[in-house]
Amino acid sequence: MTWQTWLLFVTTVFFLSGTPGPNMLLALSHGIRYGARKAVATGIGAVLALTLLQIISVTGLGALLAASETAFQVVKWCGVAYLFYIGVKTWRSDPHVDVSQAEGPGIDGRPTSAWKLGTQAFLVCFSNPKAIVFLVALFPQFIDTAQPLVPQVTILAVTFGICEFLWIMAYATGGGRLVPVLKRAGFGRLVNRLSGGMLIGAGALLAAVRRL
């Protein structure tokens, strides 16, 4: 793979990864509720899912999903249902602490495991069929079939994962910076409404996705 090809790929995925979507809205929500430090688990979960999707995209499974309307819809609506579920659950939850007195980078005082945050991110990322369709269409444009396939796919996958992780942490950090304002205002319930609303909105974005 030439440097020119790699730089073109980096530029493409950097701007595409930064586009607001289910992954980024989840990261923003986690940043607000739990702080950017805990949201590292969110980034890891999303990157793991993205890596698996990239492996699928270079196999027959990716082509099958891209070609099958039924498979596309099943995966999509599972993702929509999950986003709506965690969104409504967050929206309806009571504030766990008086946020005006809360300590730490996040605004949610209840302990939350990194495993839970990472699992949520993994499921949200993996249940977006548009990602597989996109990867099926994207990867071949940057692969030289005359050269060994595995090293090229590895380079592309690692590059994509790094870009995705950096954007997730940027969104989570942005959410975390809202916390001091929300703490001063004492809007505990508003935080749940804001976080839940973003997740429901992410579900709506995914519901609007159409197969290419």
Side-chain angles (χ1 to χ4, degrees):
M1 179 180 296
T2 66
W3 280 102
Q4 292 84 351
T5 299
W6 181 77
L7 287 173
L8 179 58
F9 180 79
V10 170
T11 303
T12 301
V13 300
F14 180 79
F15 288 105
L16 288 174
S17 293
T19 303
N23 291 351
M24 299 309 156
L25 291 178
L26 180 69
L28 185 62
S29 174
H30 282 180
I32 292 174
R33 299 194 73 193
Y34 309 111
R37 181 175 298 179
K38 283 192 174 182
V40 169
T42 307
I44 293 173
V47 169
L48 288 175
L50 183 63
T51 301
L52 183 56
L53 290 178
Q54 290 174 104
I55 294 172
I56 291 174
S57 73
V58 296
T59 67
L61 291 176
L64 173 64
L65 184 59
S68 172
E69 179 67 24
T70 300
F72 184 92
Q73 293 297 331
V74 167
V75 174
K76 182 182 81 169
W77 288 108
C78 285
V80 170
Y82 181 69
L83 280 165
F84 270 68
Y85 166 74
I86 60 176
V88 171
K89 185 177 180 181
T90 301
W91 179 284
R92 297 179 61 184
S93 62
D94 294 326
H96 306 299
V97 293
D98 176 1
V99 295
S100 63
Q101 303 298 322
E103 297 179 357
I107 206 161
D108 195 327
R110 186 170 61 181
T112 301
S113 69
W115 175 260
K116 178 180 178 180
L117 299 186
T119 299
Q120 284 188 351
F122 181 93
L123 292 175
V124 168
C125 182
F126 191 74
S127 60
N128 185 353
K130 191 65 174 286
I132 296 181
V133 176
F134 166 73
L135 289 170
V136 169
L138 178 71
F139 267 36
Q141 310 302 319
F142 297 92
I143 291 177
D144 183 355
T145 56
Q147 301 297 326
L149 178 63
V150 173
Q152 295 181 80
V153 172
T154 300
I155 292 171
L156 296 179
V158 170
T159 300
F160 206 157
I162 291 174
C163 288
E164 187 78 3
F165 183 81
L166 291 175
W167 273 115
I168 284 175
M169 293 312 302
Y171 274 78
T173 300
R177 288 182 176 177
L178 294 175
V179 171
V181 177
L182 294 170
K183 284 180 177 179
R184 287 195 296 270
F187 291 158
R189 190 173 297 276
L190 177 60
V191 172
N192 291 340
R193 298 290 190 267
L194 179 63
S195 299
M198 284 189 293
L199 294 173
I200 293 171
L205 285 175
L206 185 56
V209 165
R210 296 292 183 268
R211 188 164 63 90
L212 295 176

